[in-house]
Amino acid sequence: METRLISQFDIERIVRAIGRHDLMDRVIDRLAEGLAELGREKREISPPRGGFDRDYPTPGVLEWMPHYVSGDSITIKTVSYSPMNPQRYGLPTILSNLARYDSATGRLVALTDGVVLTAMRTGAASAVASRLLADPRSSVLGLIGAGAQAVTQVHALSRVFPLEKVLVWDVDPAHAESLASRVAFLGLPVEVAPPGVILARADVISTVTSVAVGGDPVLPSGPYRPHLHINAVGSDLVGKTELPRPLILKAFVTADHLEQAYREGECQQLVDEPSAAELIGPSLAELCASPDLATGLRGRLTVFDSTGFALEDHLAMDVLLEAADEVGAGSTLRVEYHPADTLDPYSPPAGAPGTRAPEAAPDALAPSLGAVPAGTASSLESSLEDAG
């Protein structure tokens, strides 16, 4: 059997053909639907991610994030966080790939890059949470951190709010200055401003930083607009937080995955807080399932503790595979070795010249996911204009 491969060139082709806006809208909608199903207990929550620290020659982590849909499929994302990558190796801080397995047989059905999907689903999750908790008239977006994740935060939030301005700050002035050119496709003015000004003027803020474990908060404690909503995205390690504790203690907090957030999100700061049960409200999934729970919170300070979990990646991968079908992107490859004699791992692969596959037992279980149609992988012609 063949595995479907969605390469970097296929992803570029998909983004160009479908358009950035349409693709982002699809991810936002799919996350909102999937999270609502989770909140109604029609889906199972993913287990917390696992992984290990890397310390040589540069610090970082490598993690794995599994999600299982009984009777259908399993999605596993591996993701590495390497804050020195851009400066030292010219690579993204976050690298990842996603694998989709058939639930019945365990065979590898599809394999794709996860860099673009991770960025898109992270921005989309902020859009889903902000649409529930922020003032619908929000027009000023604040960004603390201007790396790759900042682009999809602006993009996703611009799809759900009438944004008129973006305020940005980064410890690297060049990153802050370059954000305007990277989000020029949105037509929004971008102004570099210090964190205190951003906190005071923004309606919605996303913090997307690589602050060190045990580092200082990336925002001051106040003043801020009464209806401010914050998407705390960068806290993804034990001991790494972005927001000042006094600010969190004043806020209503919702998490995408509470167990994970207590371990490595902003909720780390509330583990020993006696009033944690009052500060941390319904999960994002519960709010998606019952939006009325969020309506009364829009006039006060709210925080979305976004640690990212595998259901989001599973749903985003669904969107990508469907989009690949639309444009005929992708190729197939025989990755797995399937010997003609299943009892002899050294026998030639099934289908090789001169071999004969053994007959299946009458009660053999057919895979729940059959061969996935795919087109031929190809690079996008440089003259193709962005449909988004």
Side-chain angles (χ1 to χ4, degrees):
M1 294 183 180
E2 296 181 326
T3 296
R4 187 174 188 183
L5 178 66
I6 309 296
S7 72
Q8 62 175 347
F9 300 109
D10 295 316
I11 290 176
E12 180 192 14
R13 180 181 175 188
I14 291 166
V15 172
R16 294 276 188 171
I18 301 294
R20 284 173 285 194
H21 296 332
D22 192 0
L23 199 59
M24 179 60 83
D25 289 346
R26 295 185 192 189
V27 177
I28 293 171
D29 291 344
R30 191 65 59 88
L31 258 61
E33 294 166 6
L35 289 168
E37 290 172 350
L38 176 62
R40 299 186 190 106
E41 299 183 346
K42 293 183 178 180
R43 285 183 180 268
E44 296 291 329
I45 194 166
S46 314
R49 56 178 165 244
F52 49 79
D53 294 336
R54 297 150 39 222
D55 55 9
Y56 181 83
T58 56
V61 298
L62 191 141
E63 299 173 319
W64 43 89
M65 303 171 63
H67 184 75
Y68 174 46
V69 181
S70 179
D72 182 73
S73 60
I74 300 150
T75 300
I76 300 177
K77 183 173 85 167
T78 56
V79 56
S80 63
Y81 169 73
S82 309
M84 296 300 295
N85 267 4
Q87 299 90 336
R88 184 167 294 190
Y89 303 111
L91 293 171
T93 298
I94 296 175
L95 294 171
S96 68
N97 58 73
L98 290 99
R100 173 70 54 84
Y101 299 89
D102 173 51
S103 176
T105 65
R107 76 176 185 88
L108 179 61
V109 176
L111 184 65
T112 183
D113 165 73
V115 171
V116 175
L117 279 187
T118 296
M120 290 189 72
R121 67 82 156 146
T122 304
S126 291
V128 171
S130 301
R131 185 167 57 186
L132 287 164
L133 293 168
D135 189 320
R137 300 164 296 180
S138 295
S139 61
V140 180
L141 171 63
L143 285 173
I144 305 296
Q149 295 292 318
V151 175
T152 49
Q153 290 290 315
V154 180
H155 188 197
L157 290 163
S158 74
R159 305 302 296 166
V160 297
F161 292 109
L163 296 184
E164 297 176 359
K165 177 179 287 189
V166 178
L167 304 175
V168 62
W169 180 85
D170 194 285
V171 292
D172 186 334
H175 286 180
E177 291 290 347
S178 70
L179 183 66
S181 64
R182 286 180 277 138
V183 298
F185 69 97
L186 297 173
L188 290 170
V190 179
E191 176 186 332
V192 179
V197 171
I198 292 175
L199 183 65
R201 293 172 54 189
D203 301 300
V204 177
I205 293 176
S206 289
T207 58
V208 281
T209 74
S210 295
V211 64
V213 171
D216 293 332
V218 301
L219 276 174
S221 296
Y224 53 86
R225 306 195 73 179
H227 58 269
L228 174 64
H229 171 72
I230 300 174
N231 300 301
V233 179
S235 294
D236 50 12
L237 295 171
V238 176
K240 176 184 176 184
T241 58
E242 296 179 308
L243 304 185
R245 181 177 169 83
L247 197 65
I248 281 220
L249 292 176
K250 297 175 185 176
F252 166 87
V253 180
T254 186
D256 51 4
H257 193 296
L258 186 56
E259 181 181 353
Q260 197 167 265
Y262 269 132
R263 187 180 71 190
E264 54 190 72
E266 292 298 327
C267 287
Q268 292 177 88
Q269 302 191 62
L270 301 176
V271 171
D272 299 323
E273 180 62 36
S275 60
E278 299 175 9
L279 297 171
I280 302 174
S283 69
L284 178 59
E286 292 170 317
L287 294 179
C288 287
S290 303
D292 290 347
L293 295 175
T295 304
L297 299 167
R298 288 179 176 169
R300 59 165 296 184
L301 176 65
T302 55
V303 170
F304 169 42
D305 192 353
S306 173
T307 57
F309 68 112
L311 171 60
E312 297 170 342
D313 299 301
H314 177 86
L315 295 168
M317 188 175 185
D318 283 346
V319 172
L320 181 71
L321 293 175
E322 291 165 8
D325 283 341
E326 287 184 34
V327 304
S331 58
T332 58
L333 185 66
R334 291 183 180 271
V335 176
E336 298 172 328
Y337 195 99
H338 296 163
D341 181 352
T342 58
L343 300 180
D344 181 4
Y346 293 122
S347 66
T355 63
R356 179 181 174 184
E359 295 184 4
D363 60 347
L365 180 64
S368 62
L369 291 179
V372 184
T376 302
S378 62
S379 301
L380 181 70
E381 296 181 6
S382 57
S383 59
L384 184 62
E385 294 186 354
D386 188 351

